[in-house]
Amino acid sequence: MNMDTVRQRGLVLLGCGKMGSAMLAGWLRGGLPPASVWVLDPNPSGWLKTQGVHLNAPLPEDPAIVLIAVKPQMMGAALPQLAALGGGGTLFLTVAAGTTIATYEAVLGVATPIVRAMPNTPAAIAKGITAITGNDHATEAHMALAEALLSAVGQVVRIEGEHQMDAVTAVSGSGPAYVFHLIETLAAAGAAEGLPPALAMQLAKATVAGAGALAEAAEDDPAQLRINVTSPGGTTAAALKVLMDEGRGFPALLREAVHAAAERGRELGR
């Protein structure tokens, strides 16, 4: 099963909000014909209506793949309408948070190949990272197809199994919010030191974005990059003495935050 199969048999996208739209835009840019795409969405955007895809139309009988991108709270109403496609011929790929593979198998049948994925919001600008894992019926070809589709919005990694998904969610799924909060608080701290708020925000955004890009591009690991910018007894060292404090700094704070997110994910998945 490959992208040629998708072109021939079709792709069904259930839900076309921000994540669904980002993926669809990436596929269309990559050459997937709009005529090969069926979208089911109760409130289609103006952009979606202009893309030439089959919108809320009768589905193909044997699509290559169904991609589920609805919000978890809409899953109960949305999934049963696809139950007829379960059973083995169609790959189901889900990017919905919190819904377990077992839940899909209960509706679609245990013989259905299912790949569960956790993307994150930088997918909107093709800078996302998505972790994937499959059930027992997801073959290497299914996993490769899932990777090919999800790579339209960024990097894709495979995890050992679904037991790691809550940790992934806590690091990369929820992680952009932690970084946005860092930008907020860094800008506020700059304003508290006398900078105009707009200038402090510009500095904070560019600094976090630039440091992230450097961390990805550099051969050195982030610890070495930190050391490189820290002169002994200098300004950065004074700040890091606070931030790296084991009791009240980033090490303890982020461990606690990521653990809280992972625990909440486990609760939601029960």
Side-chain angles (χ1 to χ4, degrees):
M1 186 178 281
N2 54 32
M3 291 303 288
D4 285 338
T5 313
V6 175
R7 290 185 187 95
Q8 291 159 13
R9 289 171 51 193
L11 178 152
V12 175
L13 177 59
L14 180 64
C16 200
K18 288 183 180 175
M19 189 62 69
S21 295
M23 290 188 292
L24 177 58
W27 303 331
L28 297 175
R29 275 197 310 272
L32 184 64
S36 297
V37 180
W38 280 256
V39 178
L40 298 178
D41 192 287
N43 300 298
S45 66
W47 172 83
L48 178 57
K49 292 175 183 176
T50 65
Q51 297 309 301
V53 300
H54 304 275
L55 182 56
N56 296 324
L59 300 181
E61 288 184 14
D62 183 34
I65 186 164
V66 171
L67 198 146
I68 300 167
V70 295
K71 289 190 165 35
Q73 57 268 33
M74 296 169 65
M75 193 67 70
L79 201 53
Q81 64 186 301
L82 300 174
L85 299 177
T90 297
L91 169 63
F92 280 75
L93 170 59
T94 172
V95 297
T99 305
T100 62
I101 287 173
T103 301
Y104 295 106
E105 288 177 337
V107 176
L108 302 169
V110 292
T112 306
I114 298 165
V115 173
R116 184 177 169 195
M118 171 51 64
N120 62 4
T121 55
I125 56 166
K127 293 283 188 182
I129 187 162
T130 305
I132 64 172
T133 187
N135 70 349
D136 291 343
H137 289 275
T139 65
E140 173 57 33
H142 289 132
M143 296 295 284
L145 177 58
E147 281 187 352
L149 286 166
L150 292 165
S151 65
V153 292
Q155 301 177 52
V156 183
V157 296
R158 297 190 192 190
I159 56 176
E160 288 176 9
E162 196 174 26
H163 64 282
Q164 293 183 329
M165 197 58 87
D166 293 312
V168 166
T169 303
V171 173
S172 58
S174 299
Y178 317 157
V179 178
F180 300 146
H181 187 53
L182 171 63
I183 294 171
E184 282 182 285
T185 52
L186 183 57
E193 291 299 322
L195 292 173
L199 174 59
M201 181 59 77
Q202 184 180 356
L203 290 169
K205 283 182 180 178
T207 299
V208 172
L214 179 58
E216 276 216 317
E219 290 186 11
D220 289 336
D221 65 21
Q224 186 59 50
L225 293 174
R226 169 180 53 77
I227 291 165
N228 293 350
V229 79
T230 308
S231 305
T235 58
T236 309
L240 289 175
K241 186 176 179 183
V242 178
L243 292 175
M244 296 177 72
D245 184 286
E246 274 292 339
R248 69 185 187 116
F250 279 172
L253 193 60
L254 277 176
R255 267 198 307 271
E256 186 179 345
V258 169
H259 181 67
E263 280 295 289
R264 183 61 182 144
R266 293 178 190 113
E267 289 169 10
L268 291 171
R270 286 186 192 123

